Amino acid sequence: MTLLAVALTVGLQLPAPGPVLDAVPFEVPSADGYMIQGETDRPAGPARGVVIMVAGTGVFTRDVNFGRSGTPGDRVFLDLAARFNQRGMAVVRFDRRGARYGVPREERTDKAVAPTATPENLSQDVEALYDWTRSERGLGARCVVLFGHSEGTIHIAGLAERGAVPPDLVIGMGGLLESKASVIRWQSVDREPDALLMMDDDGDGMVTDEEIRANFRETPAGIYEDPAPLLAPDGSWTAADIAGARAEGAAWYAREVAALANHADDAPYPDAEQPLASWRWWKSWFLDDTPNAVRLSRWPSPLIFHYGSRDSQVREDRQRIAAEGILPAGQLRFVSHPDRGHTLGHDALLGPMDEAIADQIADQAAAACPVAFSGRDNEPG
């Protein structure tokens, strides 16, 4: 911990990243025999450690293309991997179940495989990669950092729950410490009412359309392209109106929970034409009420969780409350980023990441692994 704290204080001054230095493809079997595909991005010279990158919700390939700026930073994980490489860290990136790499966008989802994704096997895939990364048949890593974006932190916490060897550091970006059921209820019931209250500039209990237009992008409602869905029919929201909106959200939530039983666990969610995962995966967002902080508390590993004030999906204040009394302050560090969103960029949801924040995260990962190891160049066999 002392070395980590010192290195974070000093920081590393490096040029803007280029492409990853040396990508070596791999195939690693998961617990159920599914072959996980991805690549190891290797730095120049011996690696000081390995970062395993775990994506959030979506049928993402290893690059995690999650932006619309038209810049290389839209490939959020690829850009961050290059920064890790510059600091002497090898990187393991992989394609989520059902994602096809190196094909046109319209072909990236394998409609036969994507519906097989469950909360259990998505986490077991990460565990298989973690075991391979640490083993002599894989990379032989002696220092491993787990990096998770959003839902990715849930899959990482599953390793802790199953008793995996603690990693040297866990870094979360817009990560969950509350439960899945808690966050989906907030998104369904409270996100827009909370955002409206944040827009009340003069504190008079009324939220006018003018206040909405001026402020919506600075709140979780910034997920909308324009403020039209938030505007009041008569030009302003009263406290009673906002309470009514909460009640409507609560009614939708109750209907959704009641309807879960109508779908088989192994059916494609939301449907066979555009499958994201299985219905078992979707059901878990309503039924899993174990705080993610509880699962992570099974590890003594240091935790650094980054949050943007504009985050439309996961709110820092809620995660602080969820972690209180479960994860000690000496283990868990919160890093707050004003005017940044769920992917720590300007957008409330999407990337690219702010470059200074991306460099800060890369510094943190490198500081956790101060001594280079020999590593392995072999592919699993």
Side-chain angles (χ1 to χ4, degrees):
M1 289 296 292
T2 302
L3 284 172
L4 176 59
V6 170
L8 294 182
T9 301
V10 174
L12 299 173
Q13 301 299 316
L14 296 168
V20 296
L21 297 177
D22 183 15
V24 178
F26 62 70
E27 285 191 342
V28 173
S30 193
D32 61 359
Y34 176 78
M35 296 302 294
I36 309 161
Q37 297 187 342
E39 67 182 60
T40 302
D41 305 317
R42 302 183 300 185
R48 60 198 295 170
V50 179
V51 182
I52 301 175
M53 304 187 72
V54 187
T57 303
V59 189
F60 285 115
T61 67
R62 66 199 73 171
D63 291 348
V64 183
N65 194 333
F66 198 51
R68 56 189 171 194
S69 69
T71 68
D74 286 344
R75 292 187 171 94
V76 176
F77 275 23
L78 177 62
D79 177 80
L80 192 51
R83 298 172 195 270
F84 290 138
N85 277 176
Q86 283 185 320
R87 290 153 177 84
M89 298 292 287
V91 180
V92 169
R93 294 184 293 123
F94 65 100
D95 309 325
R96 205 213 78 168
R97 288 184 182 232
R100 302 174 66 236
Y101 185 68
V103 299
R105 180 182 295 273
E106 61 274 12
E107 300 175 17
R108 286 182 191 166
T109 298
D110 186 326
K111 295 181 180 180
V113 177
T116 68
T118 68
E120 294 83 8
N121 63 30
L122 290 174
S123 183
Q124 288 164 354
D125 292 350
V126 179
E127 187 168 10
L129 291 172
Y130 183 49
D131 290 344
W132 174 79
T133 296
R134 296 176 60 251
S135 72
E136 291 303 314
R137 65 184 175 84
L139 299 180
R142 294 197 298 269
C143 183
V144 179
V145 175
L146 299 177
F147 172 87
H149 183 206
S150 192
E151 184 187 344
T153 56
I154 294 174
H155 305 322
I156 289 170
L159 276 66
E161 186 173 45
R162 293 190 296 275
V165 174
D168 294 86
L169 173 67
V170 177
I171 301 176
M173 177 170 69
L176 273 75
L177 295 170
E178 65 183 311
S179 71
K180 295 171 79 172
S182 175
V183 76
I184 201 69
R185 193 183 193 285
W186 176 80
Q187 291 178 1
S188 306
V189 177
D190 296 314
R191 174 165 51 190
E192 289 185 20
D194 285 356
L196 287 170
L197 292 174
M198 293 170 67
M199 300 179 213
D200 183 10
D201 273 346
D202 55 15
D204 65 354
M206 301 275 290
V207 184
T208 66
D209 285 354
E210 289 73 20
E211 287 175 316
I212 292 171
R213 291 189 181 95
N215 299 312
F216 82 100
R217 292 192 185 280
E218 309 307 315
T219 75
I223 194 171
Y224 290 114
E225 290 296 313
D226 71 51
L230 302 166
L231 301 179
D234 60 357
S236 65
W237 291 83
T238 65
D241 294 333
I242 294 173
R246 286 192 200 275
E248 289 179 8
W252 175 90
Y253 184 85
R255 290 194 300 271
E256 192 72 8
V257 172
L260 293 176
N262 298 331
H263 302 274
D265 281 3
D266 60 356
Y269 174 83
D271 54 47
E273 279 304 304
Q274 294 183 314
L276 176 61
S278 65
W279 267 89
R280 180 176 180 83
W281 170 84
W282 180 237
K283 291 178 183 183
S284 73
W285 286 97
F286 296 85
L287 304 178
D288 184 350
D289 59 1
T290 300
N292 213 38
V294 170
R295 295 187 168 109
L296 287 169
S297 70
R298 292 174 169 84
W299 277 339
S301 308
L303 311 167
I304 304 176
F305 274 54
H306 292 256
Y307 297 97
S309 66
R310 290 181 178 173
D311 195 323
S312 61
Q313 308 303 106
V314 178
R315 302 300 293 173
E316 179 179 351
D317 58 343
R318 294 176 61 85
Q319 310 320 304
R320 286 179 177 269
I321 292 169
E324 191 172 352
I326 297 172
L327 291 165
Q331 179 183 8
L332 171 61
R333 174 184 172 194
F334 288 92
V335 185
S336 307
H337 301 283
D339 304 321
R340 294 297 177 259
H342 190 52
T343 313
L344 302 181
H346 184 76
D347 190 88
L349 175 63
L350 304 173
M353 291 178 66
D354 179 289
E355 289 197 20
I357 298 173
D359 284 336
Q360 181 184 18
I361 288 173
D363 287 348
Q364 290 167 348
C369 301
V371 180
F373 71 101
S374 61
R376 297 289 183 273
D377 292 337
N378 59 295
E379 298 178 27

